Amino acid sequence: MKWIVAENYGELSELAAEMVVGEMLTKQKRVNLAITAGTTPIGMYERLTTKVKGKNYLDHVHYYNFDEIPYKSGKQEGITLSDLRRLYFSPAAIAEEQIEILNEKNYQQHDAKIASDGGLDAIVLGIGTDGHYCGNLPGTTRFTDFTTEVPCDERLKKIIVGHFEDPAENPDSYVTLGPRSVMAAKHIILLASGVKKSEAMQRFYHGEVTEAFPASILKMHPNITVIVDKAAGKLI
Amino acid sequence: MKWIVAENYGELSELAAEMVVGEMLTKQKRVNLAITAGTTPIGMYERLTTKVKGKNYLDHVHYYNFDEIPYKSGKQEGITLSDLRRLYFSPAAIAEEQIEILNEKNYQQHDAKIASDGGLDAIVLGIGTDGHYCGNLPGTTRFTDFTTEVPCDERLKKIIVGHFEDPAENPDSYVTLGPRSVMAAKHIILLASGVKKSEAMQRFYHGEVTEAFPASILKMHPNITVIVDKAAGKLI
Amino acid sequence: MKWIVAENYGELSELAAEMVVGEMLTKQKRVNLAITAGTTPIGMYERLTTKVKGKNYLDHVHYYNFDEIPYKSGKQEGITLSDLRRLYFSPAAIAEEQIEILNEKNYQQHDAKIASDGGLDAIVLGIGTDGHYCGNLPGTTRFTDFTTEVPCDERLKKIIVGHFEDPAENPDSYVTLGPRSVMAAKHIILLASGVKKSEAMQRFYHGEVTEAFPASILKMHPNITVIVDKAAGKLI
Amino acid sequence: MKWIVAENYGELSELAAEMVVGEMLTKQKRVNLAITAGTTPIGMYERLTTKVKGKNYLDHVHYYNFDEIPYKSGKQEGITLSDLRRLYFSPAAIAEEQIEILNEKNYQQHDAKIASDGGLDAIVLGIGTDGHYCGNLPGTTRFTDFTTEVPCDERLKKIIVGHFEDPAENPDSYVTLGPRSVMAAKHIILLASGVKKSEAMQRFYHGEVTEAFPASILKMHPNITVIVDKAAGKLI
């Protein structure tokens, strides 16, 4: 595990962007990147947009969303992909052919598709205060799961509903890469910013490997880089 | 996880030998291999000896023992290294410069040494009916451990004593690569032969990830190959 | 350059087979191998057939012919592919989906296809007494060429005609991976056996890099292994 | 060959810096970089300095100079290393342990040292209008050379003398990585900026492979990235 402490959120964002661009620039083959929505990577996407937009020498990069919360009606694209479009794909003008979509219809073929595409070169993850990453919340998936559908009980529905203007769109299930799908990536890049993540990062760093804190498995990966700012890393 | 079922122990041994020789032959840089003693790999070492002995084009291969049970008196080399010499290093005439020793004196520097040597290209493991690998027996190490010293309580002393002609040599502790040291290897090769391993392999394949069955963590590795013969794989 | 001297043709064949199987066994992703027809690899294919036939854990391996001499009438598959079927694909029962065909119709898309397939993991080559490899005979291709069509003048027609029972089938051109296509492979494995190749190997090893001796470029590759038997290597 | 056209020198410098930082950030093992002095990379070093200075998470990066013009008196460090210190090592505060020196005393062990260090992960090169790179000027080295000493005849002395305040310091020879040493790197990054390089880049791109234009061999490398600005690439 490589553990990097950035001075602040701006440096964390710059460093994450450089690491992701590094994955793109140092390989001549197709590059497959799974990326995260959420608030932590906003600064990274701003910087990535500048570095990537209009650069046709980055056409060999393919992007994968790693979870999806669909609209119950199915009338529009799900929450994750919509967020990624807003944060990155649209401002960076990423071509549609470079966007590899995971959704509730194709999730059962997703691990095989990724393998056939050559595997994930890197996956960029955030972490929740409860230790979740992608859609792997405590109590939803087991370490042994590959990409899967997670049924939403009342607890999960309450967590998810905030994503929807119309609560009637709150779905009965969502899909996510499971822990084994994530561990199959060649490089895991985990980002955490802010004092509100400091206890989670303490538990990540020092705590045991347990499904009760899903991200704990990630430190077992042979090639994981963790970037925290000083606030998130203050308890280490 | 790549899961390979060999017809029988002979085919398993041949395949394991070919995989190990493959690691040696397909790289021009220094190759670092951690290898196992025990009974499962005896057939592999017989075949490896033929393929390796006297071949100076394999001088770039370095071998690492991954655990050691020392003699309490310290009068002679420990059990694991002695076994490896008898099974492989001596018959294959491996030069002393290619043997990288882990023992009770240097274990605290061992992970750093491996990293500085370029990391393990592959680690060949057996598995016990209790799910142990290297010296990671249930109740001894945590998933989060790197190379460590394991104190021997009465239970462990009973397990280990069979290795010694003179029971007074039974040591108070042994050393082993921890789960994180093993997971840091680029390729894990796990061997299991015989019907007596079939329940362990069933639990390995289908069971949860738990420290109560140490090998369960290994299936989370992005690049693990498991070779079983039909007998060991019959419950999958 | 790794230079390996085998005792004799049998050892060379075994070693080449182990190296090729090593490429297959040490990777979990799709493996792309370009292989050669001709007389040198006959022993290798005999051994490979034993190691590969009926092994479904090698389904991820794809085979590429690297040149093709078509029948002028187009009534049957070309010389190279027919030879590879006879020497290896048929006895080893390689599935048709694993055979990636280069011929006079698709050669212009071939480099792009290989790149899209993930690149060649290894290419196994023989060498002619004139320094040719694949269809890169002196005077036919430049070092800068990718996969290309070579028009057959009278000199080439005389060399090639021996492949055909019916001389009227002697074609006006053949196709071959060019030097840059070969140099793009991740690993080049060059085989040479017998005293009749000893002068060519001397020139390969000690001589200058010149299009007059096409194989001379190959020693500039960052990852080339040369396997000679004692007879072929006697002048080094 | 990946061919990237930057809008201008600033974009070229930023892109080169990102590519070099990418090599550093995407690997957890020791990273070995050979880097160039000269005028082309000045902008890259300015940006690298910002990205690298004081970042202890980049301690695993080792830097190699790839040629050296010694002072005849031997009273001070040679031209290349002095330039690299001024352009990059000093402003970026690179630790002395990370600087791996090639000079007239150790050049005969240099290829072996690099191999033992794990090989060059990347080498950053400029190109002269005469097609030279490192100290491989037309008429000095052959494609087949490894790291070597080049005796300075009158022609070379005239080219080199401009580096010295005191012409009496003009040495009788200099040392340089040879073409095979450069081709052994895992990634070649070639930079060219400005209209004065446009004819050289045209010859590089379209011309034959010939020792009369030393850089011509580099396009045979399986993993070369060329970054030109519009001015340098205008004839392609």
Side-chain angles (χ1 to χ4, degrees):
Chain A
M1 183 165 67
K2 193 160 183 91
W3 181 267
I4 300 178
V5 182
E7 283 296 311
N8 49 46
Y9 180 66
E11 192 180 298
L12 174 149
S13 299
E14 178 63 23
L15 196 50
E18 285 177 353
M19 201 169 286
V20 170
V21 167
E23 294 286 347
M24 300 177 186
L25 286 174
T26 56
K27 302 190 182 79
Q28 302 212 5
K29 62 165 204 70
R30 170 179 172 140
V31 171
N32 300 320
L33 298 177
I35 55 174
T36 183
T39 52
T40 307
I42 291 175
M44 176 185 80
Y45 286 128
E46 285 171 9
R47 285 157 179 84
L48 269 184
T49 296
T50 308
K51 293 173 194 288
V52 168
K53 187 178 181 177
K55 311 298 191 200
N56 60 2
Y57 53 81
L58 296 177
D59 286 355
H60 64 303
V61 180
H62 291 245
Y63 298 94
Y64 296 73
N65 62 313
F66 54 50
D67 57 17
E68 189 53 279
I69 308 174
Y71 281 72
K72 191 168 190 173
S73 69
K75 273 190 291 199
Q76 59 185 105
E77 247 180 1
I79 297 296
T80 301
L81 210 63
S82 302
D83 282 356
L84 288 174
R85 289 192 189 279
R86 180 173 44 82
L87 290 170
Y88 180 57
F89 296 149
S90 297
I94 302 300
E96 209 58 33
E97 309 88 77
Q98 294 173 257
I99 304 175
E100 309 288 345
I101 296 175
L102 163 70
N103 61 30
E104 70 281 11
K105 297 187 196 77
N106 66 14
Y107 76 94
Q108 288 176 306
Q109 292 80 47
H110 200 62
D111 290 295
K113 175 191 160 42
I114 289 175
S116 155
D117 288 349
L120 293 177
D121 292 281
I123 181 166
V124 181
L125 300 171
I127 182 172
T129 53
D130 59 354
H132 88 263
Y133 61 96
C134 316
N136 297 288
L137 280 71
T140 61
T141 57
R142 309 296 309 260
F143 283 157
T144 49
D145 284 334
F146 291 96
T147 298
T148 190
E149 184 175 32
V150 176
C152 294
D153 57 16
E154 288 312 306
R155 179 184 68 107
L156 282 174
K157 280 183 181 269
K158 272 185 202 152
I159 294 173
I160 288 169
V161 70
H163 291 295
F164 297 96
E165 279 193 30
D166 176 2
E169 286 286 16
N170 202 356
D172 297 322
S173 65
Y174 64 82
V175 293
T176 182
L177 263 71
R180 280 175 98 173
S181 315
V182 172
M183 291 288 282
K186 296 185 189 73
H187 187 191
I188 296 176
I189 302 168
L190 179 66
L191 310 179
S193 170
V195 71
K196 68 183 178 300
K197 298 288 173 68
S198 58
E199 287 183 22
M201 293 318 290
Q202 185 186 36
R203 188 167 177 190
F204 171 83
Y205 193 93
H206 291 296
E208 62 175 326
V209 174
T210 169
E211 290 172 342
F213 192 77
S216 59
I217 191 69
L218 302 177
K219 65 182 159 187
M220 303 305 292
H221 192 278
N223 187 16
I224 176 169
T225 305
V226 183
I227 312 179
V228 295
D229 54 20
K230 282 195 164 171
K234 71 192 269 268
L235 301 179
I236 309 299
Chain B
M1 182 165 69
K2 192 158 184 94
W3 182 267
I4 299 179
V5 182
E7 283 296 310
N8 49 46
Y9 179 67
E11 192 180 298
L12 175 148
S13 300
E14 177 64 22
L15 196 50
E18 285 178 352
M19 201 169 287
V20 170
V21 168
E23 294 286 346
M24 299 177 186
L25 287 175
T26 57
K27 302 191 181 78
Q28 302 211 4
K29 60 167 203 73
R30 170 180 172 139
V31 171
N32 299 321
L33 298 177
I35 57 175
T36 182
T39 52
T40 307
I42 291 176
M44 176 186 80
Y45 286 128
E46 285 171 10
R47 286 158 179 84
L48 269 183
T49 296
T50 310
K51 295 173 194 288
V52 168
K53 187 177 183 177
K55 312 297 191 201
N56 60 2
Y57 54 81
L58 296 177
D59 286 355
H60 64 304
V61 181
H62 291 245
Y63 298 94
Y64 296 73
N65 62 313
F66 54 49
D67 58 18
E68 189 53 279
I69 307 175
Y71 281 73
K72 192 169 188 172
S73 68
K75 274 190 289 199
Q76 59 183 105
E77 245 180 2
I79 297 295
T80 301
L81 209 63
S82 302
D83 283 356
L84 287 174
R85 289 192 188 279
R86 181 174 42 81
L87 290 169
Y88 179 57
F89 296 149
S90 296
I94 302 299
E96 209 56 35
E97 310 88 77
Q98 295 173 256
I99 303 175
E100 308 289 345
I101 296 176
L102 164 70
N103 62 29
E104 71 281 11
K105 297 188 197 77
N106 65 15
Y107 75 94
Q108 288 176 305
Q109 293 80 46
H110 200 62
D111 291 295
K113 175 191 159 44
I114 289 175
S116 154
D117 288 350
L120 293 176
D121 291 282
I123 181 166
V124 182
L125 301 172
I127 182 172
T129 54
D130 60 353
H132 88 262
Y133 61 97
C134 317
N136 297 288
L137 278 71
T140 59
T141 57
R142 310 296 309 260
F143 284 157
T144 48
D145 284 335
F146 290 96
T147 299
T148 190
E149 183 174 32
V150 176
C152 294
D153 57 16
E154 290 311 306
R155 179 184 68 105
L156 282 173
K157 281 183 181 269
K158 273 186 202 152
I159 295 173
I160 287 169
V161 70
H163 291 293
F164 296 95
E165 279 191 31
D166 175 2
E169 286 286 16
N170 202 358
D172 297 322
S173 65
Y174 65 83
V175 293
T176 183
L177 262 71
R180 280 174 98 171
S181 315
V182 173
M183 291 288 282
K186 296 185 188 73
H187 187 189
I188 296 176
I189 302 169
L190 179 66
L191 310 179
S193 169
V195 69
K196 68 183 178 301
K197 298 286 174 70
S198 58
E199 287 183 22
M201 292 318 289
Q202 184 185 37
R203 189 168 177 189
F204 172 82
Y205 193 91
H206 291 297
E208 62 175 325
V209 174
T210 169
E211 290 172 342
F213 191 78
S216 60
I217 191 68
L218 303 177
K219 64 182 159 187
M220 304 303 293
H221 192 277
N223 187 17
I224 175 169
T225 305
V226 183
I227 311 179
V228 295
D229 55 18
K230 281 194 165 172
K234 71 191 270 268
L235 299 179
I236 310 299
Chain C
M1 182 165 68
K2 190 155 184 97
W3 182 266
I4 300 179
V5 182
E7 283 296 310
N8 50 46
Y9 179 66
E11 192 179 300
L12 174 148
S13 299
E14 178 62 22
L15 196 49
E18 285 178 351
M19 201 169 286
V20 169
V21 167
E23 294 285 347
M24 298 178 187
L25 287 174
T26 56
K27 301 190 182 80
Q28 302 213 5
K29 62 166 203 74
R30 171 179 172 140
V31 171
N32 300 320
L33 298 177
I35 55 175
T36 181
T39 53
T40 307
I42 290 175
M44 175 185 79
Y45 286 127
E46 285 171 9
R47 285 156 179 85
L48 268 184
T49 295
T50 309
K51 294 173 194 286
V52 168
K53 187 177 183 177
K55 311 297 191 200
N56 60 2
Y57 53 81
L58 297 177
D59 286 355
H60 64 302
V61 180
H62 290 246
Y63 298 94
Y64 296 73
N65 62 313
F66 55 48
D67 58 17
E68 189 52 278
I69 308 175
Y71 281 73
K72 191 169 191 171
S73 68
K75 273 191 288 197
Q76 58 185 106
E77 246 180 1
I79 296 296
T80 301
L81 210 62
S82 302
D83 283 356
L84 287 175
R85 289 191 188 279
R86 182 175 42 82
L87 289 169
Y88 180 56
F89 297 149
S90 296
I94 303 299
E96 209 57 35
E97 308 89 77
Q98 294 174 256
I99 304 175
E100 310 288 345
I101 297 175
L102 164 70
N103 62 30
E104 71 280 13
K105 296 186 196 78
N106 66 15
Y107 75 94
Q108 289 175 306
Q109 292 79 48
H110 200 63
D111 290 294
K113 175 190 160 44
I114 289 174
S116 155
D117 288 350
L120 293 176
D121 291 282
I123 182 166
V124 181
L125 300 171
I127 182 172
T129 53
D130 60 354
H132 88 262
Y133 61 97
C134 315
N136 297 289
L137 280 71
T140 61
T141 57
R142 310 296 308 261
F143 283 156
T144 48
D145 284 334
F146 291 95
T147 298
T148 190
E149 184 174 33
V150 176
C152 294
D153 57 16
E154 288 313 305
R155 179 184 68 105
L156 282 173
K157 279 180 182 272
K158 271 186 202 151
I159 295 172
I160 288 169
V161 70
H163 290 294
F164 297 96
E165 280 192 30
D166 175 2
E169 287 286 16
N170 202 356
D172 298 321
S173 66
Y174 65 82
V175 293
T176 183
L177 262 71
R180 279 174 98 171
S181 315
V182 173
M183 291 288 282
K186 296 185 188 74
H187 188 190
I188 296 176
I189 302 168
L190 180 66
L191 310 178
S193 170
V195 71
K196 69 183 178 301
K197 298 286 174 69
S198 59
E199 287 183 22
M201 291 318 289
Q202 184 184 37
R203 188 166 177 190
F204 171 83
Y205 193 92
H206 291 296
E208 63 176 325
V209 175
T210 168
E211 290 172 342
F213 191 76
S216 60
I217 191 69
L218 302 177
K219 65 182 158 187
M220 303 304 292
H221 192 278
N223 188 17
I224 176 169
T225 305
V226 183
I227 311 179
V228 295
D229 55 19
K230 282 195 164 171
K234 71 192 271 267
L235 301 179
I236 309 299
Chain D
M1 183 166 67
K2 192 157 184 93
W3 181 267
I4 299 179
V5 182
E7 282 295 311
N8 48 48
Y9 180 65
E11 192 180 299
L12 174 149
S13 299
E14 177 63 23
L15 196 50
E18 286 178 351
M19 201 169 286
V20 169
V21 168
E23 294 286 346
M24 299 178 187
L25 287 175
T26 57
K27 301 190 183 77
Q28 302 212 5
K29 61 166 203 71
R30 171 179 172 139
V31 170
N32 300 321
L33 298 177
I35 55 175
T36 182
T39 53
T40 307
I42 291 176
M44 177 186 78
Y45 286 127
E46 284 171 9
R47 286 156 180 85
L48 268 184
T49 296
T50 309
K51 294 173 195 287
V52 168
K53 187 177 182 177
K55 311 297 190 199
N56 62 0
Y57 53 82
L58 296 177
D59 286 355
H60 64 303
V61 180
H62 291 245
Y63 298 94
Y64 296 73
N65 62 314
F66 54 48
D67 56 18
E68 189 52 278
I69 308 175
Y71 281 73
K72 192 169 191 172
S73 68
K75 273 190 289 197
Q76 59 184 105
E77 246 181 0
I79 297 295
T80 300
L81 210 62
S82 303
D83 282 355
L84 287 174
R85 289 191 188 279
R86 181 174 42 82
L87 289 170
Y88 179 57
F89 296 149
S90 297
I94 303 299
E96 209 58 33
E97 309 90 76
Q98 295 173 256
I99 303 174
E100 308 287 347
I101 296 176
L102 164 70
N103 61 30
E104 71 280 12
K105 298 188 197 76
N106 65 14
Y107 75 95
Q108 288 175 305
Q109 292 80 46
H110 200 63
D111 290 295
K113 175 191 160 43
I114 289 175
S116 155
D117 288 349
L120 293 176
D121 292 280
I123 182 167
V124 181
L125 300 172
I127 182 171
T129 53
D130 60 353
H132 88 262
Y133 61 98
C134 315
N136 297 288
L137 279 71
T140 60
T141 58
R142 310 295 309 260
F143 284 156
T144 49
D145 284 335
F146 290 96
T147 298
T148 190
E149 183 174 33
V150 176
C152 294
D153 57 15
E154 289 311 306
R155 178 184 68 105
L156 282 173
K157 280 181 181 272
K158 273 186 201 152
I159 294 173
I160 287 170
V161 71
H163 291 293
F164 297 95
E165 278 191 32
D166 175 2
E169 286 287 14
N170 202 356
D172 297 324
S173 65
Y174 63 83
V175 293
T176 182
L177 263 71
R180 279 175 98 171
S181 315
V182 173
M183 291 288 282
K186 296 184 188 75
H187 187 190
I188 296 176
I189 302 169
L190 179 65
L191 310 179
S193 169
V195 69
K196 68 184 179 299
K197 298 286 173 69
S198 58
E199 286 182 23
M201 292 318 290
Q202 184 186 37
R203 189 166 177 191
F204 172 82
Y205 193 93
H206 292 296
E208 64 176 325
V209 175
T210 169
E211 290 172 342
F213 191 78
S216 60
I217 192 68
L218 303 178
K219 64 183 160 187
M220 304 304 291
H221 192 278
N223 187 17
I224 177 171
T225 305
V226 183
I227 311 179
V228 294
D229 55 18
K230 282 194 164 171
K234 72 192 270 268
L235 300 179
I236 310 298

